[in-house]
């Protein structure tokens, strides 16, 4: 760990078997867990809490001040979970007074040039491909995948197991278990391949498909579709997760697919 060409503040708390490569800067009020590798030319600023067995590649900046004009210097943090890989030139900003922290979960992959703004919460096992840009206060559920160069509007929520096409402009919430693509961003079916890879049975996948047929393809508005889902489909964790997600959406959810290529309620 004692790399003479790196600067490590004496108050930083770094596990004994962490590797820090040359020309990296680690500030005070930083904690780094066992087995983590910090590549060359990385900047880790005050407030970073990095878990075990992470890999952080050259050019990454972790826990920089938020790009928010309301930020008044409050003490905030960034949490990076265990086994997460942060590739070249990724930036993860600290939180603001809103949440006081930004969170990236465990077993995530943030590819090159990803930006995670203040107060974002990213779940576990998420993949953000090259150049994904998250504005402030975005929430990403477990196992979600966001395609390269996509931009996510502030306060948007992406549900667990969702998959968003590359180059998307994500202005509305994306419910759990779905694929989303096109412009404007539209429901494109459920993420059946991803669900099978994660152990969902064919029966469970069929139940989720039926749920989204009622929500997006029945011609009903969202409230009526949710009532019909609760009336006709048996309770299950997946059904309840989707219903609660849509009912509690602050920005509204993406639209359903229509044959004319436009979204339909």
């Amino acid at each position: 760990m004692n790399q003479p060409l790196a600067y490590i503040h004496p108050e930083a708390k770094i596990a004994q078997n962490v590797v820090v490569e040359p020309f990296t800067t680690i500030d005070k009020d930083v904690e780094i867990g066992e087995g983590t590798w910090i590549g060359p030319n990385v900047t880790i600023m005050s407030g970073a809490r990095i878990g075990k067995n992470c890999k952080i590649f050259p050019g990454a900046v972790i826990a920089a001040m938020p790009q928010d004009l309301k930020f008044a210097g409050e003490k905030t943090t960034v949490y990076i979970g265990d086994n997460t890989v942060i590739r070249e030139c990724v930036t993860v900003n600290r939180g603001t007074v809103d949440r006081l922290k930004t969170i990236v979960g465990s077993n995530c992959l943030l590819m090159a040039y990803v930006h995670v703004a203040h107060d974002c919460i990213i779940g576990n096992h998420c993949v953000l491909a090259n150049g994904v840009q998250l504005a402030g206060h975005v929430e990403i559920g477990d196992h979600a995948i966001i395609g390269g160069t996509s931009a996510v509007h502030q306060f948007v929520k992406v549900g667990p197991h969702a998959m968003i096409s590359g180059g998307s402009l994500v202005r509305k919430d994306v419910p759990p278990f779905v694929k989303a693509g096109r412009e404007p961003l539209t429901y494109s079916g459920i993420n059946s391949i991803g669900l099978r890879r994660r152990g969902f049975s064919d029966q469970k996948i069929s139940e989720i498909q039926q749920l989204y047929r009622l929500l997006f393809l029945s011609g009903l508005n969202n409230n009526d579709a949710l009532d019909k889902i609760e009336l006709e489909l048996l309770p299950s964790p997946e059904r309840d997760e989707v219903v609660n997600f849509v009912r509690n959406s602050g920005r509204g959810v993406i639209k359903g697919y229509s044959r004319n290529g436009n979204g339909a309620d």
Side-chain angles (χ1 to χ4, degrees), residues 180-256:
R182 306 182 182 90
E183 172 57 31
L185 195 66
T186 304
Y187 167 75
S188 303
I190 72 163
N191 185 16
S192 55
I193 294 175
L195 293 176
R196 286 192 181 93
R197 288 173 176 170
R198 296 172 203 131
F200 284 71
S201 67
D202 288 343
Q203 179 180 352
K204 182 59 65 178
I205 291 171
S206 294
E207 291 173 6
I208 296 170
Q209 286 173 326
Q210 177 59 23
L211 187 159
Y212 278 109
R213 289 190 190 102
L214 292 173
L215 180 62
F216 284 133
L217 305 178
S218 65
L220 300 173
N221 65 44
N222 285 346
N223 287 331
D224 290 344
L226 292 175
D227 290 341
K228 190 175 181 68
I229 287 167
E230 291 182 312
L231 181 65
E232 296 187 0
L233 300 184
L234 293 174
S236 70
E238 293 78 16
R239 187 204 76 165
D240 294 343
E241 185 167 27
V242 173
V243 169
N244 290 334
F245 185 99
V246 176
R247 285 202 194 279
N248 296 320
S249 172
R251 292 190 53 80
V253 299
I254 59 173
K255 294 182 180 295

Side-chain angles (χ1 to χ4, degrees), residues 30-255:
V30 168
E31 299 177 13
I32 302 177
E34 298 176 358
T36 287
W37 175 78
I38 310 294
N41 296 294
V42 171
T43 302
I44 301 178
M45 306 181 78
S46 294
R49 308 287 185 263
I50 299 170
K52 299 177 181 178
N53 302 313
C54 295
K55 291 182 173 62
I56 302 181
F57 281 71
V61 180
I62 309 299
M65 287 175 55
Q67 300 176 119
D68 186 336
L69 295 176
K70 301 185 298 297
F71 181 69
E74 56 265 26
K75 183 178 174 63
T76 59
T77 52
V78 162
Y79 288 88
I80 309 291
D82 298 339
N83 308 305
T84 284
V85 176
I86 296 177
R87 292 302 302 254
E88 295 82 357
C89 300
V90 168
T91 53
V92 184
N93 289 171
R94 288 190 287 143
T96 68
V97 70
D98 177 58
R99 286 175 173 158
L100 300 177
K101 58 189 175 183
T102 301
I103 299 174
V104 178
S106 297
N107 300 290
C108 293
L109 171 59
L110 276 57
M111 297 187 193
Y113 295 97
V114 164
H115 174 65
V116 179
H118 59 88
D119 302 292
C120 288
I121 298 176
I122 299 175
N124 302 318
H125 302 280
C126 294
V127 177
L128 276 59
N130 296 294
V132 168
Q133 306 289 289
L134 303 186
H137 314 276
V138 167
E139 297 183 25
I140 309 292
D142 294 348
H143 295 280
I145 299 174
I146 302 181
T149 71
S150 295
V152 185
H153 194 281
Q154 57 260 42
F155 295 100
V156 157
K157 296 181 180 180
V158 177
H161 301 280
M163 185 172 185
I164 297 174
S165 174
S168 295
L169 301 177
V170 188
R171 306 177 181 93
K172 299 286 188 178
D173 293 347
V174 180
F177 313 118
V178 306
K179 296 181 296 185
R182 306 182 182 90
E183 172 57 31
L185 195 66
T186 304
Y187 167 75
S188 303
I190 72 163
N191 185 16
S192 55
I193 294 175
L195 293 176
R196 286 192 181 93
R197 288 173 176 170
R198 296 172 203 131
F200 284 71
S201 67
D202 288 343
Q203 179 180 352
K204 182 59 65 178
I205 291 171
S206 294
E207 291 173 6
I208 296 170
Q209 286 173 326
Q210 177 59 23
L211 187 159
Y212 278 109
R213 289 190 190 102
L214 292 173
L215 180 62
F216 284 133
L217 305 178
S218 65
L220 300 173
N221 65 44
N222 285 346
N223 287 331
D224 290 344
L226 292 175
D227 290 341
K228 190 175 181 68
I229 287 167
E230 291 182 312
L231 181 65
E232 296 187 0
L233 300 184
L234 293 174
S236 70
E238 293 78 16
R239 187 204 76 165
D240 294 343
E241 185 167 27
V242 173
V243 169
N244 290 334
F245 185 99
V246 176
R247 285 202 194 279
N248 296 320
S249 172
R251 292 190 53 80
V253 299
I254 59 173
K255 294 182 180 295

